[in-house]
Amino acid sequence: MAWDPIFWLIFFVMNIILIALTIYQIVCLSDLEADYLNPYDSSSRINSVVVPEMVVQGVLCALFLLTGNFYMFLLTLPNACYNARLFMKQQHLIDVTEVFRSLDAEKKYRLIKLAFYLVLFVVVLISSLICFIQPINSIE
Amino acid sequence: MGTEDPSRKNFPYRPAASPFSSPQSTMPFLSSPPVVGSQGPIGGSNSSSVRPSTTPASQTSPFISSRPAVGPEPSNFRPGPPVRSTTPFMNPSQPSYSQTPAGPFQRAPGQQFPSNTQVPPPRTSPMGQQASPMPTNHSAASYTSMPALQNPNYQSSAESSYFARPNLQQSSPSMRPYFAPGTQPNAAAQTAPVPSASFLNHQNNYVQPPPVAPTPFISPQHGYAPPPPGATLGPYSMDKIRAPSSTASLGPAQGLAEDFNSLSIGSVPGSFDPGLDSKALPRPLDGDLEPKSYAEMYPLNCNSRYLRLATSAIPNSQSLASRWHLPLGAVVCPLAEAPTGEEVPIVNFATTGIVRCKRCRTYINPYVTFTDGGRKWQCNICTLLNEVPGDYFAPLDAGGRRIDLDKRPELVKGSVEFVAPTEYMVRPPMPPLYFFLIDVSISAVRSGVIEVVAQTIKSCLDTLPGYPRTQIGFITFDSTIQFYNMKSSLTQPQMMVVSDLEDIFVPLPDDLLVNLSESRSVVDAFLDSLPSMFQDNVNVESAFGPALKAAYMIMNQLGGKLLIFQNTLPSLGVGRLRLRGDDLRAYGTDKEHALRTPEDPFYKQMAAEFTKYQIAVNIYAFSDKYTDIASIGTLAKYTGGQVYYYPNFQATIHKERLQHELARDLTRETAWEAVLRIRCGRGVRFTSYHGNFMLRSTDLLALPAVDCDKAYAMQLCLEETLLTTQTVYFQVALLYTSSSGERRIRVHTAAAPVVADLGEMYRQADTGAIISLLGRLAIEKSLTSKLEDARNSIQLRIVKALKEYRNLYAVQHRVGSRMIYPESLKFLPLYGLALYKSTALRGGYADAQLDERCAAGFTMMALPVKKLLKLLYPNLIRIDECLLKADALESTWKKVPLAADSLDPTGLYVYDDGFRFVVWFGRQLLPDIARNLLGEDYTTDYSRVSLYEHDNAMSRKLMKILKTFRETDPSYYQLCHLVRQGEQPREGFFLLVNLVEDQVGGMNSYLDWILQIHRQIQQNA
């Protein structure tokens, strides 16, 4: 399909956004741990990007479905469900009063998410390369 | 139950590691034994200092010197000043050893004496002979009665004392046959060359009525040394002293001197054979027993009212720490009230600046060492050598002590307060500020809260701290918010009503918060008119959230203390709460804990904002209905505040309590805009903090207001697998603004030995601190899981700890079906049971109102150790005899066990848990007494009778007694509840349910609890 390269480009960009947001959150947490940031700033910074990240992730997941990339959709679905669940329970934001107690867990959670996004990144990268190369091949 | 000689604890059972193996391990402890005055540590420091420089053979030398009798020998010991300087331990204040040849060591034996009596006949002693891996007979018993000469203490028993000392080293120049009566297998083993002839002696030794326990000596040697064997140190001896001669009462079979206490449980596990006499169970009828040995070991430490460690022996390795199943940590009460004469000295380094370590920022303290002729000092926490500032320089004397020691309280006292210069301020010190947020809805009017509050505030205006800088302000709220302009030029306050709850604003930029001394007449006028202003209010709504925001907007320039008087469940605007009530169905499910956590994140956010701007929130809740203390209390929890809960407040009944507690809250000495940090030596780290505060960074507690009634608990862990230091130091620093407007730093320093022996950790355990930590952990756990899980976690830890302890001794000793526990933890099971039954954790739905449970949880999270212990195991005192006798002394009050059995129907008892009194009238109490105390009401229903002073001697005496009780614990006002035996449900509600030792509502009695724990310990033991 002619639209495929464009979709893959969008996926690619969204994925990079997700990775960037996650890294930003991890940096905030590390700064907090190292006492470069106070808990108020740190949690407000993190909390300001939590919902955008969830939205981007949800959109990405939906786009995978709409564009018919079922395997990719299945890959991102668990994460989207998990996010939705957190949001429903209102547990998606960092609690500034208890941030130090949950620091390790939050950090671990974000590192795992980062690893997941990186895997996704590799898959998207390969897929989009294939997608870009295919037309060239077919022309030849 | 037999209490076996704790003294013996020492040697026998430890794994036989050679004391030599770790020469380094030694000495800090030496000093521990009760030393005279401040000299105590000397021994310790000297010896430790000596050792690095001595040859291996010289290790023994400390011993020698220690023996008083040795005469000339002590001189060996004398450390040259240079040596001293190397030792981190050394305290400049201490005289050098050579100066006091008679030093601490001798003392040690003296102290030991009491314990001697406990040394059992050899035959019975499992340790020496049967169980201990090594034969004891190598040890030589020395007949020398040496100590007697020099040590007065000793003399009494000197003749009989054949001094036993472990001889650790054959190399010891003294070669005197020392002998540890069977107690020191390890040492003995090493002494092989020593003639064993002594065995007999040692038998004699035993026979002698007051045989001397050798332990003290030994201890110095091995002491605290990493290898387990040595672990017996001075401290033990203290133990013994504390509980001397309990053996006397033992049955013959139990006449063993053992390292532990035990309860003989005759039954096989599983049966309820009354093999255990409930009367013999240990009970803390003397109140809280603190481990004294520790304080005496380190006389320079701060007092235990400021800092208590769960165990004063820090494990040297992670593997050892993992076998200590109880919490490892500390409970800190930085501003604890000091009795007159022991106030914390204030030090002003006006010109020098506060002397601190460059690297770790430790404040200068008694444990730092001065070297290089006084030009440098070594930090005791990070061992960095710091320059002594020019203005602070003082030369050292021959002993290595600064010559100006007597003028430097910071170098001789464990607790000092520094006046902080401007570097310690981010803004000018704030004035004391009190802001009142008063609910004036109909229920507040009806219950009479407003009137009592207004009167009390008015009566306290003269005594508010910080005159003339004190600031004050008021907001009242129902469905609208009323602000009061108290500008000093007005004669009457102006009320401004804001009814826009969605977008709250402050109607005046200033004058809502005014200087008390300037606007005093307006404030007085306001407080006088406040009750009448709202007496016809019929508003049932509460715009609590918006009012809170308004208060925040007014206060956030300065910070201060916000007192909230809350009567009605917040129903309007942000932060409105549902009547989620006490849902019976939620109990026992995974949703149960949600009832105890804030429902609306608004409260947590507000709490965080309050802390950020140095506002402390105290909640006074009065409702007779559900008010969601769980949500509202969060405000107090994260701002260093406190929750006062008066369920179903009626001015006629509860007035005095509210008056007293509010007055205390307003007038007690308060530290403002404070931060607290605890530092500790390398290798150890504080990991979690528990109490009412908010963490501002990983280890910095933000406390907008602190006072003497708040304590904070923290847990520590080992960062390194093996600690190489011999001592760990802790330093608590509280930086605050005093009410007088001065920035101050209160510093408490304490040292604790590092040990390699688990038994030693148990011996040095502090039940009070452990229970405080366990309680806080369990309450926190109840916020994330079921009550049952929280309770079980307590039980599990107690069982694990006692099991580990049992394993320590079970192999060498035929402990059989006895339950064994260290002397220091004898009350642990009982307090554990009390926690189990505490209001915050007990039962389920029906056992405590949700609000009451949450309020109790918030209170227990802040209580200092002693008050917590009193709450857990309250005093029950029989007073009718005392009333009848005209001249009965207060000392005749006897506390009785908290069980229904101890209530005699002919008696009159007072139950005092620190928060309330219950006066229990026995059914067969002489009618005269009741009539005298209650007047003609004495036959009616006691719920309608209140206790006041009648015109007769007996009534006056009772009131005097109650007054005395109240004076011992002024933090709260103990309201008096009268209860007649058999008058249900009143009796059950007030008293019976709180009798910790009884079986109440499906919860174990003390006896069953012990049996249950014992069974669990024996399972797969």
Side-chain angles (χ1 to χ4, degrees), chain B residues 450-733:
Chain B
I450 301 173
E451 196 172 354
V452 180
V453 168
Q455 282 169 0
T456 312
I457 296 173
K458 188 161 181 242
S459 68
C460 291
L461 288 180
D462 286 324
T463 43
L464 286 183
Y467 175 85
R469 300 161 71 236
T470 316
Q471 307 251 341
I472 199 166
F474 297 87
I475 286 183
T476 55
F477 65 95
D478 42 29
S479 64
T480 58
I481 301 170
Q482 298 97 37
F483 297 83
Y484 299 90
N485 179 355
M486 305 228 192
K487 200 174 163 74
S488 54
S489 53
L490 299 172
T491 51
Q492 282 289 317
Q494 268 174 3
M495 187 203 280
M496 282 153 287
V497 179
V498 171
S499 51
D500 179 4
L501 302 180
E502 293 309 310
D503 182 21
I504 193 77
F505 63 95
V506 177
L508 268 185
D510 36 41
D511 294 330
L512 296 176
L513 191 61
V514 293
N515 183 301
L516 176 61
S517 51
E518 288 167 10
S519 303
R520 179 60 192 268
S521 57
V522 193
V523 174
D524 277 342
F526 168 73
L527 289 171
D528 285 336
S529 56
L530 179 64
S532 54
M533 245 188 286
F534 294 100
Q535 63 188 354
D536 301 322
N537 195 351
V538 288
N539 202 318
V540 293
E541 302 286 352
S542 162
F544 180 69
L548 204 59
K549 282 193 133 176
Y552 167 74
M553 285 187 240
I554 296 171
M555 294 178 77
N556 67 13
Q557 294 298 317
L558 283 172
K561 211 159 168 171
L562 173 63
L563 290 90
I564 298 174
F565 300 89
Q566 197 264 2
N567 267 72
T568 313
L569 190 72
S571 58
L572 295 175
V574 283
R576 64 181 156 260
L577 296 169
R578 282 183 303 124
L579 207 105
R580 56 180 167 163
D582 212 356
D583 188 357
L584 176 57
R585 285 162 302 170
Y587 277 85
T589 69
D590 292 340
K591 287 181 187 152
E592 181 193 318
H593 67 88
L595 292 174
R596 293 185 288 271
T597 50
E599 183 192 359
D600 188 334
F602 168 77
Y603 289 98
K604 274 196 166 184
Q605 286 158 12
M606 280 312 286
E609 292 298 311
F610 278 133
T611 315
K612 193 173 175 184
Y613 291 99
Q614 308 292 357
I615 301 165
V617 180
N618 279 3
I619 308 273
Y620 291 78
F622 303 99
S623 178
D624 51 341
K625 295 193 280 291
Y626 177 73
T627 44
D628 208 346
I629 299 282
S631 297
I632 294 167
T634 316
L635 291 169
K637 178 177 164 82
Y638 293 106
T639 59
Q642 199 172 342
V643 176
Y644 295 88
Y645 182 50
Y646 306 80
N648 200 8
F649 183 90
Q650 291 301 324
T652 45
I653 305 170
H654 302 97
K655 183 176 168 190
E656 282 176 323
R657 183 172 163 216
L658 175 59
Q659 275 176 337
H660 177 97
E661 290 174 3
L662 177 57
R664 180 167 169 94
D665 190 9
L666 292 176
T667 56
R668 66 187 161 194
E669 185 49 52
T670 303
W672 307 86
E673 47 177 357
V675 287
L676 183 137
R677 174 172 271 144
I678 180 165
R679 294 183 171 83
C680 53
R682 240 184 305 174
V684 184
R685 190 167 61 93
F686 281 97
T687 47
S688 64
Y689 300 84
H690 312 275
N692 291 358
F693 56 81
M694 195 173 128
L695 279 176
R696 188 169 298 163
S697 75
T698 39
D699 61 343
L700 188 69
L701 278 57
L703 302 163
V706 200
D707 52 63
C708 56
D709 297 325
K710 310 273 165 45
Y712 309 92
M714 42 212 80
Q715 289 194 90
L716 57 83
C717 74
L718 300 185
E719 274 188 315
E720 292 166 14
T721 30
L722 202 63
L723 289 186
T724 51
T725 48
Q726 297 155 20
T727 313
V728 172
Y729 298 92
F730 299 96
Q731 188 171 69
V732 181

Side-chain angles (χ1 to χ4, degrees), chain A residues 32-33 35 37-41 90 93 95-101 103, chain B residues 604 607-609 611-612 637-638 677 689-690 693-698 780:
Chain A
L32 176 67
E33 205 171 10
D35 210 4
L37 264 184
N38 69 46
Y40 302 101
D41 291 347
Q90 289 290 303
L93 295 179
D95 174 7
V96 61
T97 52
E98 294 286 354
V99 58
F100 287 103
R101 197 162 293 185
L103 194 64
Chain B
K604 274 196 166 184
E609 292 298 311
T611 315
K612 193 173 175 184
K637 178 177 164 82
Y638 293 106
R677 174 172 271 144
Y689 300 84
H690 312 275
F693 56 81
M694 195 173 128
L695 279 176
R696 188 169 298 163
S697 75
T698 39
E780 277 176 8

